[in-house]
Amino acid sequence: MSGTAITLKNAFVAIGPADNTTEPTNISCQVTQITINLTSDVREVTPVCETAKTKIVGLKDSTFSLEANQDFADNGFDEFMFNAYNLSTELSIHVRPSASAVGVANPAYTANVFVSDYSPFSGQSTGEEMKAPVSFASNGNVTRLTA
């Protein structure tokens, strides 16, 4: 590991149908923040005769969270996210640190997801930009591609 700091610039975020029948829509220019959380269930299996805890790893889980600049235009961000939420549509999400080609230094994280939380209105005061936070729950494993 190098220890070199990385600045998030020109990230890539695209969302499309889970069956990949059409090219995912690039929403990178609307997204202002993106987070991927990978978690595992950790279960304690300590027998009563032990003096220290013993644990095993169970099922994996993941969430993708983003914040975007809101867009209420026809066929805009709000319409897309609201319909995905309202219809419980399974989507595919594709995230890379950079819009450059997928590679060892620019891995792509992909998963099939459902919209688990969508806030169409989020802002602090009059005159500030309106944000739209969205959380996606994965349906299965996250894939990390390097080629």
Side-chain angles (χ1 to χ4, degrees):
M1 289 189 270
S2 69
T4 303
I6 297 173
T7 303
L8 186 63
K9 294 187 285 190
N10 195 27
F12 177 82
V13 181
I15 298 174
D19 60 9
N20 293 313
T21 54
T22 60
E23 190 70 24
T25 302
N26 184 340
I27 61 169
S28 303
C29 289
Q30 287 179 272
V31 173
T32 59
Q33 182 178 338
I34 181 80
T35 302
I36 303 170
N37 286 314
L38 306 174
T39 60
S40 297
D41 290 336
V42 177
R43 302 291 181 213
E44 185 179 339
V45 293
T46 310
V48 295
C49 63
E50 295 294 331
T51 59
K53 292 182 179 182
T54 305
K55 298 175 182 162
I56 60 170
V57 175
L59 297 175
K60 307 276 189 224
D61 196 10
S62 61
T63 57
F64 290 72
S65 300
L66 63 84
E67 184 176 80
N69 292 319
Q70 185 55 286
D71 178 4
F72 293 110
D74 188 33
N75 294 315
F77 186 82
D78 175 66
E79 184 176 344
F80 180 80
M81 285 301 156
F82 180 80
N83 287 337
Y85 166 78
N86 199 41
L87 300 173
S88 302
T89 304
E90 186 175 15
L91 304 168
S92 66
I93 190 166
H94 310 262
V95 177
R96 298 193 304 264
S98 165
S100 300
V102 173
V104 174
N106 192 38
Y109 294 85
T110 66
N112 285 353
V113 296
F114 292 100
V115 176
S116 58
D117 294 291
Y118 174 51
S119 298
F121 290 88
S122 179
Q124 294 183 1
S125 65
T126 303
E128 289 198 14
E129 69 275 10
M130 184 176 282
K131 300 293 185 179
V134 186
S135 293
F136 302 90
S138 67
N139 187 26
N141 291 321
V142 173
T143 303
R144 183 179 184 272
L145 305 170
T146 57

